[in-house]
Amino acid sequence: MAADPRSLILSLLLGAERSGDTALAVPELLAAAALFGLPENTVRVALTRAAAAGLLVAPARGRYALGPAARPLADAVLAWKRLPERLVAWRGDWLAVHVGAAGRSDRPALRARERAFGLLGLAEFERGLHLRPDNLAGGVEALRERLAALLPDGAAVGTVFVLGGLSAADATRAASLWDGAALDAGYREGTARLAAWLDAAPGLAPEQAARESFELGGEAIRRLVFDPLLPAPLVDAEARARYLRTVERFDAAGQAIWHGFLARSRAARAAETEEIHR
């Protein structure tokens, strides 16, 4: 099945930005999209619509970069490499967001809030009350700022505060909001899968390596981006750290593979241009 064109374009530009390319030319985007079964016309339509929505900008004719509407989510994705810096020791308190007064009739705002809560590791404890362990650097102020940045202008943030003094039963119930065993299994499975691919990568064709590294790398980074960043003993923090180190190795290899792919695309385009002007 072909990839979603807008999501693919945004991911390609985000990856290019991380490797130092502030923008990509349309032929480069078309060549990359072709690896995933997307026809040229579909990609061009997606580029036009994404630009109209503010997700893309054109710093030069025929080149695209991430636009202001894509920036909050892009910054949240890029934060995965700073994961260890975002964590502090957990002393048993909880960060809480109460959204009872925010209402549920504005569906776009509700979807944006749910996505923001997922990015911030917040889970619903009671109707309208969402919690996460207070183990994030910056504490409640940082959570409030990140939540506001992820929500659309005018959307109610809710009441953000620190919650302590839960009864033993409520603390146990709060800790059970996340499936720690599933998270631990995901860390271990992900580490093994990425390591096995890295071992096999030298024998892959360049196009296959580019496609698979993009897909596997995107999945791995998405897992980190939406990881609730729970403290021990709610999860195996060392298994998460091993997974992060493996993702970093995989990401470096994937960046090198895509740098080579884009270099070949540019060289082929230059050769075609030279042939036309002969």
Side-chain angles (χ1 to χ4, degrees):
M1 180 181 295
D4 172 65
R6 188 171 76 170
S7 296
L8 179 62
I9 289 166
L10 294 175
S11 296
L12 288 167
L13 289 170
L14 183 59
E17 182 179 291
R18 289 171 46 234
S19 66
D21 286 320
T22 57
L24 290 178
V26 170
E28 293 164 356
L29 290 166
L30 294 175
L35 291 177
F36 301 91
L38 290 174
E40 178 177 326
N41 187 59
T42 298
V43 178
R44 291 186 182 276
V45 170
L47 286 169
T48 300
R49 291 177 176 174
L55 294 167
L56 302 179
V57 293
R61 183 177 176 82
R63 296 180 64 81
Y64 285 95
L66 293 175
R71 197 74 262 161
L73 185 57
D75 289 343
V77 172
L78 292 171
W80 74 268
K81 300 202 77 167
R82 302 191 302 275
L83 189 151
E85 304 168 17
R86 297 166 55 196
L87 299 177
V88 296
W90 185 43
R91 304 184 185 280
D93 285 342
W94 304 84
L95 294 175
V97 182
H98 185 258
V99 294
R104 304 179 68 86
S105 59
D106 186 342
R107 302 305 296 177
L110 181 60
R111 287 193 296 270
R113 184 178 297 110
E114 289 173 347
R115 183 178 66 181
F117 282 5
L119 286 166
L120 297 171
L122 289 156
E124 191 166 38
F125 180 68
E126 294 175 351
R127 183 173 175 82
L129 178 62
H130 295 72
L131 304 180
R132 66 152 295 115
D134 185 6
N135 68 321
L136 297 181
V140 68
E141 290 297 333
L143 179 67
R144 188 177 291 119
E145 291 173 4
R146 289 197 66 206
L147 183 56
L150 288 168
L151 293 176
D153 291 342
V157 173
T159 304
V160 186
F161 57 99
V162 178
L163 178 64
L166 289 178
S167 68
D170 282 341
T172 299
R173 185 160 63 93
S176 70
L177 295 175
W178 303 269
D179 189 341
L183 288 168
D184 291 345
Y187 300 143
R188 292 190 292 269
E189 183 275 334
T191 298
R193 186 181 186 191
L194 295 179
W197 191 91
L198 286 171
D199 289 341
L204 299 178
E207 291 76 11
Q208 180 182 358
R211 184 176 63 253
E212 291 184 357
S213 66
F214 184 88
E215 293 172 336
L216 288 175
E219 178 185 335
I221 290 173
R222 192 177 303 110
R223 176 176 285 175
L224 287 173
V225 170
F226 284 95
D227 189 280
L229 301 182
L230 303 177
L234 303 186
V235 295
D236 184 343
E238 180 51 39
R240 182 176 60 212
R242 286 194 297 272
Y243 178 61
L244 174 62
R245 291 193 293 269
T246 305
V247 174
E248 288 173 337
R249 285 200 301 123
F250 191 96
D251 183 61
Q255 291 285 339
I257 289 168
W258 273 88
H259 181 79
F261 174 84
L262 291 174
R264 290 190 297 275
S265 175
R266 289 163 183 160
R269 191 168 76 254
E272 291 174 0
T273 301
E274 183 178 346
E275 182 66 25
I276 290 172
H277 288 88
R278 280 181 179 176

Short mmCIF file of all heavy atoms in Angstrom, two decimals, residues 6 10 44-58 64-65 67-70:
data_model
loop_
_atom_site.label_atom_id
_atom_site.label_comp_id
_atom_site.label_asym_id
_atom_site.label_seq_id
_atom_site.Cartn_x
_atom_site.Cartn_y
_atom_site.Cartn_z
N ARG A 6 1.02 13.33 2.11
CA ARG A 6 1.37 14.49 2.94
C ARG A 6 2.28 14.08 4.09
O ARG A 6 3.29 14.76 4.36
CB ARG A 6 0.11 15.16 3.48
CG ARG A 6 0.43 16.48 4.19
CD ARG A 6 -0.81 17.27 4.55
NE ARG A 6 -1.50 16.69 5.70
CZ ARG A 6 -2.50 17.30 6.33
NH1 ARG A 6 -2.95 18.46 5.90
NH2 ARG A 6 -3.09 16.73 7.36
N LEU A 10 6.18 15.45 4.67
CA LEU A 10 6.60 16.10 5.92
C LEU A 10 7.73 15.32 6.58
O LEU A 10 8.69 15.92 7.09
CB LEU A 10 5.41 16.22 6.86
CG LEU A 10 4.28 17.16 6.41
CD1 LEU A 10 3.11 17.09 7.38
CD2 LEU A 10 4.78 18.59 6.28
N ARG A 44 2.57 16.11 -6.31
CA ARG A 44 2.46 17.55 -6.61
C ARG A 44 1.19 18.14 -5.99
O ARG A 44 1.20 19.26 -5.48
CB ARG A 44 2.48 17.77 -8.12
CG ARG A 44 3.84 17.47 -8.77
CD ARG A 44 3.86 17.84 -10.23
NE ARG A 44 5.12 17.53 -10.87
CZ ARG A 44 6.20 18.32 -10.85
NH1 ARG A 44 6.14 19.48 -10.20
NH2 ARG A 44 7.32 17.96 -11.45
N VAL A 45 0.10 17.39 -6.06
CA VAL A 45 -1.15 17.87 -5.44
C VAL A 45 -0.96 17.99 -3.92
O VAL A 45 -1.39 18.98 -3.31
CB VAL A 45 -2.32 16.91 -5.76
CG1 VAL A 45 -3.55 17.26 -4.92
CG2 VAL A 45 -2.66 16.99 -7.24
N ALA A 46 -0.31 17.01 -3.32
CA ALA A 46 -0.08 17.04 -1.87
C ALA A 46 0.81 18.22 -1.48
O ALA A 46 0.58 18.87 -0.45
CB ALA A 46 0.55 15.73 -1.41
N LEU A 47 1.80 18.53 -2.30
CA LEU A 47 2.67 19.68 -2.03
C LEU A 47 1.87 20.98 -2.06
O LEU A 47 2.01 21.83 -1.17
CB LEU A 47 3.79 19.74 -3.07
CG LEU A 47 4.92 18.71 -2.94
CD1 LEU A 47 5.80 18.72 -4.17
CD2 LEU A 47 5.76 18.98 -1.69
N THR A 48 1.02 21.12 -3.06
CA THR A 48 0.23 22.34 -3.18
C THR A 48 -0.71 22.51 -1.99
O THR A 48 -0.83 23.60 -1.41
CB THR A 48 -0.58 22.31 -4.49
OG1 THR A 48 0.32 22.22 -5.60
CG2 THR A 48 -1.43 23.56 -4.64
N ARG A 49 -1.37 21.44 -1.61
CA ARG A 49 -2.32 21.52 -0.49
C ARG A 49 -1.62 21.75 0.84
O ARG A 49 -2.11 22.50 1.69
CB ARG A 49 -3.15 20.24 -0.44
CG ARG A 49 -4.13 20.11 -1.62
CD ARG A 49 -4.88 18.80 -1.58
NE ARG A 49 -5.87 18.74 -2.66
CZ ARG A 49 -6.59 17.65 -2.94
NH1 ARG A 49 -6.43 16.54 -2.24
NH2 ARG A 49 -7.47 17.69 -3.94
N ALA A 50 -0.48 21.10 1.03
CA ALA A 50 0.26 21.29 2.28
C ALA A 50 0.79 22.72 2.39
O ALA A 50 0.80 23.30 3.48
CB ALA A 50 1.42 20.29 2.36
N ALA A 51 1.21 23.29 1.28
CA ALA A 51 1.68 24.68 1.30
C ALA A 51 0.52 25.61 1.61
O ALA A 51 0.67 26.58 2.38
CB ALA A 51 2.32 25.03 -0.04
N ALA A 52 -0.65 25.36 1.04
CA ALA A 52 -1.81 26.20 1.30
C ALA A 52 -2.23 26.13 2.76
O ALA A 52 -2.75 27.11 3.31
CB ALA A 52 -2.98 25.76 0.41
N ALA A 53 -1.98 25.00 3.41
CA ALA A 53 -2.33 24.83 4.82
C ALA A 53 -1.27 25.37 5.76
O ALA A 53 -1.44 25.30 6.98
CB ALA A 53 -2.59 23.35 5.11
N GLY A 54 -0.16 25.89 5.22
CA GLY A 54 0.89 26.42 6.06
C GLY A 54 1.86 25.38 6.58
O GLY A 54 2.76 25.68 7.36
N LEU A 55 1.69 24.12 6.12
CA LEU A 55 2.60 23.06 6.57
C LEU A 55 3.94 23.13 5.84
O LEU A 55 4.94 22.64 6.35
CB LEU A 55 1.95 21.69 6.32
CG LEU A 55 0.70 21.39 7.14
CD1 LEU A 55 -0.02 20.17 6.59
CD2 LEU A 55 1.08 21.18 8.61
N LEU A 56 3.95 23.74 4.65
CA LEU A 56 5.17 23.88 3.87
C LEU A 56 5.34 25.33 3.45
O LEU A 56 4.37 26.08 3.33
CB LEU A 56 5.12 23.01 2.61
CG LEU A 56 4.93 21.51 2.77
CD1 LEU A 56 4.88 20.85 1.39
CD2 LEU A 56 6.02 20.91 3.63
N VAL A 57 6.59 25.72 3.22
CA VAL A 57 6.91 27.01 2.62
C VAL A 57 7.86 26.74 1.46
O VAL A 57 8.52 25.70 1.41
CB VAL A 57 7.56 27.98 3.63
CG1 VAL A 57 6.56 28.38 4.70
CG2 VAL A 57 8.81 27.37 4.25
N ALA A 58 7.93 27.69 0.54
CA ALA A 58 8.82 27.58 -0.62
C ALA A 58 9.87 28.67 -0.54
O ALA A 58 9.64 29.79 -1.02
CB ALA A 58 8.02 27.67 -1.92
N TYR A 64 10.98 23.16 -1.28
CA TYR A 64 10.05 23.20 -0.16
C TYR A 64 10.76 22.91 1.15
O TYR A 64 11.73 22.14 1.20
CB TYR A 64 8.92 22.18 -0.34
CG TYR A 64 7.89 22.60 -1.37
CD1 TYR A 64 7.98 22.16 -2.69
CD2 TYR A 64 6.82 23.42 -1.02
CE1 TYR A 64 7.04 22.53 -3.64
CE2 TYR A 64 5.87 23.80 -1.95
CZ TYR A 64 5.99 23.35 -3.26
OH TYR A 64 5.05 23.72 -4.19
N ALA A 65 10.26 23.56 2.21
CA ALA A 65 10.73 23.34 3.57
C ALA A 65 9.52 23.29 4.49
O ALA A 65 8.40 23.63 4.09
CB ALA A 65 11.67 24.47 4.01
N GLY A 67 6.81 24.36 7.05
CA GLY A 67 6.20 25.65 7.31
C GLY A 67 5.82 25.82 8.77
O GLY A 67 5.98 24.91 9.59
N PRO A 68 5.31 26.99 9.14
CA PRO A 68 5.00 27.29 10.54
C PRO A 68 3.96 26.37 11.15
O PRO A 68 4.03 26.05 12.34
CB PRO A 68 4.52 28.74 10.49
CG PRO A 68 4.14 28.99 9.06
CD PRO A 68 5.05 28.13 8.25
N ALA A 69 2.99 25.91 10.36
CA ALA A 69 1.95 25.03 10.91
C ALA A 69 2.50 23.65 11.28
O ALA A 69 1.93 22.95 12.11
CB ALA A 69 0.80 24.88 9.92
N ALA A 70 3.62 23.27 10.67
CA ALA A 70 4.23 21.97 10.97
C ALA A 70 5.26 22.06 12.09
O ALA A 70 5.72 21.04 12.59
CB ALA A 70 4.91 21.41 9.71
#
